[in-house]
Amino acid sequence: MTHFDSQNLLIFGGVLFAIGLIGFLTRRSMILMFLSLETMLSGVSLNLIVFSRIHQNYQGQVLAIMVLTIAACEAAIALAFVVSLYRRKPTLDVLAWDELSETIMPKMPDALSEMSEPHEQFPTLTPAGLDPLSHPMPPSLDAAMNQQNSTTPANATEVVQRA
Amino acid sequence: MESLTLAWPLAQQAFDPSNLPLVTGSPIDGHFSKAMLLVILVGAVAYWCLQRGVVRSKPLAIAGASLFGLACVMAFSAIPKPTTFPEDNSFSDYLEPVVKMCFCLLAAGGGLGFIVAREPVHAALGFATCVLSTCGILFMQHAYFIAAATMIVYAGATIIIFLFVLMFAQQTKLRIYDVELTRPAVAAFIATALLITITYSVSDEGEILPTKMDLTRSRSLAAIADNPESELPPVSQPGMRKEESAKFVPSKTSGLGRAMYTDYLLAIELAGTVLLVATIGAIALAQKPEEGVS
């Protein structure tokens, strides 16, 4: 009888855990995900207490108290996180914080090809002036530039001497 | 249809009252776990129908609810009940598994409502139902202190959550993140696989022998064995059969306190430290950031 009863309750603890698991996997609201976690923890502590009764000592109950403590800590931290996240973006949607995760695989195959071959758009300029290959500089201009280059150092020394 | 014809003899076999073990009777055979497997599968289908029907169509939701009711009836009929009504004071023995099962079903229903409901307030109500029914089960397991502590902690937490829900989600319109679920079929499949595994591993017929606490340490419970108030499990002699040794039920809060503050003193201190750190961390996290700090 007791064995049967314990079996029953162990399976029920599993049911509670599974309900919490489904809730955590499917729900998108952050508060409800956190409540699902609490459901999972209560299933675990129920299992611990049933094991304490099977083994006929208090070890399981002490462990259940530990679980309760950790659940309380987790509640405090999770609610603080929810508050500070809500301050950044006024939504409880967990998908709003999607970019916090590492992007391992892009969701679309198109996005993959775009990532491997980026189509960059460079700015196009209107052509100005003459192409120096098709229109070489006239020799007169070349001579004038050579004279400019030779006189520039002399001017520079003059400036230094004046100073 | 084929699966139905396959499942029907199984169900008949599982729910035949003559197959069920009696309260005083033999050890459990495989019927219980078979019945539980069926209950789990029906429950998973009920979840799928409900989560779809709540948003899409009313008949589907009604079908899901009735499937859940069917699963409850199946689970209820799978528990062993004495065939004869007791005349003397063993009435509570007769009633106890029934009440326990009612608590279980109430908790499962609350949990199902919690994961299916689209209004956050309804979901929080389902969670409260689930947790309070679990506390009832803990009371019936004679874990009085933990039941009370769980009730206080979770009830307090639930009230806080209610406040949060009212603060953040008080809108007349439903939000998209409340209505839309991420892949409920996959989640239901994972949970069903997990539950089937748990059921198979739990339905072992072997007997778990009572184990004593660690008696080698000087300050453990063994050291205070002379104390008549001390809560010691019965020492089972090798030749003694299980029925002969008195069954020890770990129910007294004093015994739990002794175990906590003798054998598990360091763990309790560490748990207190973790609570302190979590309190400080929560205060530091929830502070408003200063101006200009991104």
Side-chain angles (χ1 to χ4, degrees):
Chain A
M1 169 62 195
T2 311
H3 184 55
F4 181 85
D5 193 30
S6 310
Q7 219 181 25
N8 191 353
L9 283 178
L10 287 179
I11 292 178
F12 174 67
V15 168
L16 271 187
F17 190 89
I19 284 176
L21 184 70
I22 291 179
F24 190 77
L25 288 180
T26 57
R27 282 302 190 142
R28 276 172 62 184
S29 167
M30 277 192 285
I31 288 181
L32 294 182
M33 285 173 79
F34 154 67
L35 280 186
S36 310
L37 271 182
E38 298 277 332
T39 313
M40 284 157 88
L41 281 179
S42 77
V44 170
S45 65
L46 176 65
N47 261 10
L48 284 175
I49 287 163
V50 174
F51 275 125
S52 151
R53 184 135 186 228
I54 292 175
H55 287 283
Q56 304 184 18
N57 60 27
Y58 287 103
Q59 293 179 356
Q61 296 199 11
V62 174
L63 257 171
I65 287 181
M66 297 291 158
V67 170
L68 210 64
T69 314
I70 300 302
C73 296
E74 176 242 324
I77 298 286
L79 287 183
F81 265 124
V82 168
V83 168
S84 60
L85 288 182
Y86 195 84
R87 225 174 252 145
R88 299 278 180 105
K89 288 182 195 172
T91 173
L92 290 179
D93 192 0
V94 82
L95 291 188
W97 297 94
D98 219 5
E99 73 262 25
L100 284 183
S101 68
E102 186 184 6
T103 314
I104 299 169
M105 277 286 286
K107 282 174 190 162
M108 301 285 190
D110 303 341
L112 185 67
S113 62
E114 274 176 22
M115 272 186 64
S116 55
E117 290 176 32
H119 299 295
E120 289 187 35
Q121 296 280 329
F122 293 111
T124 52
L125 300 175
T126 49
L130 297 173
D131 190 359
L133 289 179
S134 54
H135 300 276
M137 272 191 283
S140 57
L141 187 64
D142 216 10
M145 282 194 65
N146 277 338
Q147 195 206 353
Q148 179 89 21
N149 285 344
S150 59
T151 52
T152 307
N155 286 344
T157 49
E158 221 172 87
V159 168
V160 170
Q161 277 170 1
R162 271 189 211 155
Chain B
M1 204 56 209
E2 260 181 50
S3 59
L4 198 66
T5 52
L6 279 178
W8 181 243
L10 187 68
Q12 266 183 330
Q13 191 191 9
F15 300 122
D16 190 4
S18 62
N19 280 341
L20 288 176
L22 301 181
V23 168
T24 54
S26 53
I28 303 302
D29 40 22
H31 296 304
F32 174 69
S33 55
K34 274 184 203 165
M36 273 299 150
L37 283 186
L38 226 77
V39 168
I40 289 165
L41 288 180
V42 173
V45 176
Y47 164 71
W48 192 84
C49 290
L50 260 178
Q51 59 86 16
R52 248 185 116 71
V54 163
V55 180
R56 302 262 152 69
S57 68
K58 208 168 179 183
L60 197 57
I62 292 173
S66 47
L67 268 180
F68 178 68
L70 176 68
C72 286
V73 170
M74 280 157 66
F76 203 86
S77 60
I79 62 168
K81 284 179 280 294
T83 47
T84 58
F85 197 78
E87 299 91 8
D88 49 351
N89 53 3
S90 61
F91 183 66
S92 63
D93 290 346
Y94 175 75
L95 206 59
E96 194 187 339
V98 177
V99 175
K100 211 175 279 182
M101 201 65 190
C102 286
F103 271 133
C104 283
L105 296 184
L106 199 61
L112 194 66
F114 159 58
I115 55 176
V116 156
R118 295 308 206 258
E119 295 255 5
V121 178
H122 295 173
L125 273 177
F127 175 75
T129 311
C130 180
V131 165
L132 291 182
S133 313
T134 312
C135 284
I137 297 167
L138 293 189
F139 266 114
M140 301 198 71
Q141 281 299 102
H142 305 285
Y144 301 116
F145 176 73
I146 296 182
T150 308
M151 209 178 266
I152 291 169
V153 169
Y154 277 89
T158 313
I159 288 173
I160 299 285
I161 296 294
F162 256 100
L163 287 181
F164 267 80
V165 166
L166 289 181
M167 254 163 48
F168 287 148
Q170 194 187 27
Q171 283 104 17
T172 50
K173 263 198 314 188
L174 277 177
R175 293 305 187 89
I176 182 66
Y177 55 80
D178 279 328
V179 175
E180 205 172 78
L181 304 180
T182 35
R183 301 186 187 179
V186 179
F189 175 74
I190 293 172
T192 310
L194 177 76
L195 265 184
I196 287 173
T197 320
I198 288 177
T199 309
Y200 262 123
S201 54
V202 158
S203 62
D204 185 18
E205 292 163 24
E207 186 89 31
I208 303 176
L209 291 173
T211 39
K212 291 179 288 186
M213 313 277 270
D214 187 6
L215 298 181
T216 54
R217 276 177 282 168
S218 60
R219 296 183 82 70
S220 75
L221 286 179
I224 47 173
D226 300 336
N227 192 347
E229 287 180 20
S230 67
E231 304 291 331
L232 266 183
V235 181
S236 54
Q237 305 298 329
M240 194 191 276
R241 275 192 296 135
K242 179 74 194 317
E243 295 81 28
E244 289 174 1
S245 66
K247 187 134 174 60
F248 174 76
V249 178
S251 65
K252 292 205 172 160
T253 310
S254 60
L256 176 62
R258 270 206 192 89
M260 263 165 49
Y261 286 103
T262 52
D263 285 341
Y264 294 95
L265 185 61
L266 181 64
I268 289 293
E269 295 293 333
L270 281 179
T273 314
V274 169
L275 260 180
L276 180 69
V277 170
T279 314
I280 296 171
I283 292 171
L285 275 175
Q287 268 177 354
K288 212 178 175 76
E290 291 174 22
E291 289 297 321
V293 177
S294 66

